[in-house]
Amino acid sequence: MEITISQDDGRVPVTVFHLQGDLADEEPLWSQAQQAYVDGTRYLLLDMRKVPSITSAGLRAIHEVYQLLRSDAPEESDEVVRKGIASGSYTSGHLKLLKPSKTAMKSLSVAGYDMFLDIYKKYAEAIASF
Amino acid sequence: MDVITARYPVAEKKDLAVIRRFTEAVMAAIGVEQEIASELVLAVHEATANVIIHGYKDQPGCVVIEIAQAGKDLQIKLRDQAPTFDPTTVPTPDVSVPLGQPPYSGMGVHMMRSFTDELRYRVTDEGENELILVKFDAIQT
């Protein structure tokens, strides 16, 4: 797994992780995300156009990143998320995904991640959504 | 029934990528439809990762993979010598709420179940774990 990082602007500054290769380990996504968070990232787009598949370890990494990004976001407190999930109105405002492959999408769906992470087909739409 | 076997006498976590590539190559060689092949590669990865990480506790251990074709169906057997454990008894995790620590102890098995049609387990006469992953109509004519 290789990760290159870029910055873009929606209504907020957005960090973009361009992932390349199978997401089969927690590293390096988790460590790169931690560093980005320390450096000020609060809105992250995972560009998954070059990710053929995601294993359970990769899913774990995505979940850890999701938890990290909402850790100091009061609008995404446990209570708010729980209510939003129950009403079907909640998706993360801090972590979004760009165009996973069919197989990667299957892993995300099996794990229920498509219920709380917005998934976009076009880069510009993904950035504008933040 | 044609059977292709790979034996990894001292499999470690770093070998998971090699095992994925082996499974991919066999799937391609016997004509498994691409989307099904990708899912089966993931299922084999999750099964072997569980054996290496939990069964062998990250120590090197033997893993044998047999991929057998029976008509259009595919049967993948994984054998290992870790302490006996039946992964088919692992409960399906609750994935409805993404809060707290997610139920990852069951996620690999959940993926295996989702990507195959049958998951069977037995202890062999030699006392090994044998997990069988079955996919019906996997092979293109």
Side-chain angles (χ1 to χ4, degrees):
Chain A
M1 162 64 54
E2 290 178 20
I3 302 175
T4 54
I5 301 173
S6 64
Q7 299 290 333
D8 213 324
D9 287 309
R11 283 165 293 186
V12 293
V14 179
T15 301
V16 184
F17 280 11
H18 305 274
L19 312 180
Q20 187 163 359
D22 288 327
L23 186 46
D25 285 301
E26 285 177 70
E27 300 296 337
L29 175 57
W30 175 227
S31 56
Q32 295 265 22
Q34 284 177 297
Q35 186 58 54
Y37 185 82
V38 168
D39 294 340
T41 289
R42 293 298 180 270
Y43 299 93
L44 180 64
L45 175 65
L46 297 182
D47 174 1
M48 309 197 80
R49 289 175 289 190
K50 295 180 179 173
V51 177
S53 67
I54 308 173
T55 69
S56 59
L59 289 170
R60 183 161 53 241
I62 293 173
H63 191 274
E64 283 166 346
V65 174
Y66 159 74
Q67 293 283 56
L68 175 68
L69 290 170
R70 73 178 192 89
S71 60
D72 63 356
E75 78 279 12
E76 292 199 20
S77 67
D78 284 3
E79 189 184 348
V80 171
V81 171
R82 205 169 276 117
K83 282 181 181 170
I85 290 277
S87 67
S89 62
Y90 170 79
T91 55
S92 171
H94 294 261
L95 177 66
K96 297 168 192 266
L97 309 180
L98 177 63
K99 208 172 183 184
S101 68
K102 264 189 184 176
T103 305
M105 192 62 224
K106 189 81 183 277
S107 292
L108 293 165
S109 299
V110 162
Y113 286 20
D114 54 344
M115 290 189 294
F116 66 94
L117 296 177
D118 284 329
I119 298 169
Y120 293 87
K121 288 184 177 173
K122 293 185 177 174
Y123 177 83
E125 286 177 10
I127 293 295
S129 72
F130 281 96
Chain B
M1 181 185 283
D2 297 327
V3 181
I4 300 168
T5 304
R7 174 179 284 272
Y8 302 90
V10 284
E12 297 178 66
K13 202 172 169 186
K14 64 180 173 56
D15 296 314
L16 288 170
V18 176
I19 291 169
R20 281 204 307 277
R21 284 199 293 276
F22 161 75
T23 312
E24 268 169 11
V26 175
M27 298 290 146
I30 61 180
V32 176
E33 193 269 320
Q34 178 62 46
E35 194 175 335
I36 293 173
S38 300
E39 293 174 4
L40 290 174
V41 168
L42 271 176
V44 170
H45 169 95
E46 295 300 334
T48 49
N50 277 349
V51 168
I52 291 168
I53 296 167
H54 302 298
Y56 289 128
K57 302 192 183 308
D58 274 328
Q59 297 300 309
C62 183
V63 174
V64 178
I65 302 173
E66 281 183 11
I67 302 179
Q69 177 183 349
K72 293 174 71 176
D73 303 337
L74 204 63
Q75 179 174 282
I76 305 172
K77 280 187 190 172
L78 295 104
R79 288 199 306 277
D80 68 78
Q81 296 161 2
T84 55
F85 176 71
D86 180 358
T88 65
T89 61
V90 173
T92 300
D94 176 7
V95 297
S96 62
V97 180
L99 299 174
Q101 291 303 310
Y104 286 113
S105 58
M107 189 59 77
V109 176
H110 182 47
M111 291 174 76
M112 282 185 248
R113 284 195 187 106
S114 300
F115 295 154
T116 60
D117 293 318
E118 279 183 22
L119 208 57
R120 299 198 296 264
Y121 171 84
R122 74 180 185 110
V123 178
T124 68
D125 293 343
E126 293 76 32
E128 296 178 322
N129 293 295
E130 182 177 84
L131 183 65
I132 303 174
L133 293 74
V134 179
K135 188 74 181 179
F136 300 119
D137 290 326
I139 297 162
Q140 295 171 322
T141 51

